[in-house]
Amino acid sequence: MIIGLIGSGSIGGTLARLAVDAGHEVVLSNSRGPETLAGLVEELGPRARAGTAEEAARAGDVVVVTIPFGRYREVPQTDTIVIDTNNYYAARDGHVAELDSGETTSSELLAEHLKGARVVKAFNTIYYRDLATQGLPKGTQGRRALPIAGDDEEAKRVVAELTDAFGFDVVDAGPLAEGRRFEPDTAPYNRRHTEAELRRAL
């Protein structure tokens, strides 16, 4: 697949490396312009190139949104599968009343912004260094599991397959709204769990 990345920082760059290692192509973007990604592109090799956020959104069979949540309205429109790695931190993003009240979730706001996209919340519970180093082959005892949530079953299947290829088991938490169960300050957040442990934590 071609994976477009809106944001190429710690999580985005790590996911790009994992994707390239798994045989996919990546289109990287950030807020500073494609030329600032030359070093990362060179490091990743011929399966990687840099572009604008709009180019990454157009090119991707899957698009990864990995920018601070407070800037979600800047994400270009796309009608493909979108992986949302974001977390809402009021101190960084500014207070959002409907999130503070629990009326909705950050991923649902992104989905509302991206009309037609199939949003799956994933990779938001793991530190980027752990994402880079803790992946294990399928079937390995003690393999770490990561949660996903989304409203489209086919989109979740694709994201689950990617997660597995990156070295992690997957626990489907249900519809996108259930992403609230693995946001910051919940039991699954930033803790290492096996699949059975993660199901209990959720």
Side-chain angles (χ1 to χ4, degrees), residues 144-197:
R144 183 168 179 169
L146 301 177
I148 65 171
D151 295 331
D152 185 283
E153 293 302 320
E154 173 63 13
K156 286 196 287 188
R157 182 191 65 77
V158 170
V159 175
E161 289 178 356
L162 271 177
T163 305
D164 179 56
F166 295 168
F168 301 90
D169 288 336
V170 177
V171 173
D172 184 351
L176 193 59
E178 294 303 307
R180 69 177 73 249
R181 291 198 276 153
F182 52 94
E183 290 177 339
D185 300 321
T186 63
Y189 184 73
N190 205 23
R191 292 179 176 86
R192 181 168 183 158
H193 294 292
T194 63
E195 181 179 348
E197 291 167 344

Side-chain angles (χ1 to χ4, degrees), residues 61-169:
D61 299 307
V62 172
V63 174
V64 179
V65 174
T66 179
I67 60 175
F69 166 74
R71 300 179 60 185
Y72 78 92
R73 292 185 181 87
E74 299 174 25
V75 177
Q77 293 297 316
T78 179
D79 60 359
T80 189
I81 297 169
V82 171
I83 297 175
D84 176 28
T85 76
N86 294 331
N87 290 302
Y88 166 57
Y89 300 105
R92 178 195 65 188
D93 302 316
H95 282 278
V96 179
E98 56 262 55
L99 297 182
D100 291 340
S101 69
E103 175 186 340
T104 189
T105 65
S106 57
S107 293
E108 288 175 288
L109 288 180
L110 178 64
E112 186 179 323
H113 168 67
L114 297 176
K115 305 292 187 187
R118 294 172 286 162
V119 176
V120 178
K121 189 175 188 72
F123 300 112
N124 70 300
T125 63
I126 184 169
Y127 185 52
Y128 77 97
R129 294 185 193 276
D130 296 340
L131 181 61
T133 61
Q134 290 186 358
L136 294 168
K138 189 177 183 67
T140 302
Q141 186 173 1
R143 194 188 199 208
R144 183 168 179 169
L146 301 177
I148 65 171
D151 295 331
D152 185 283
E153 293 302 320
E154 173 63 13
K156 286 196 287 188
R157 182 191 65 77
V158 170
V159 175
E161 289 178 356
L162 271 177
T163 305
D164 179 56
F166 295 168
F168 301 90
D169 288 336

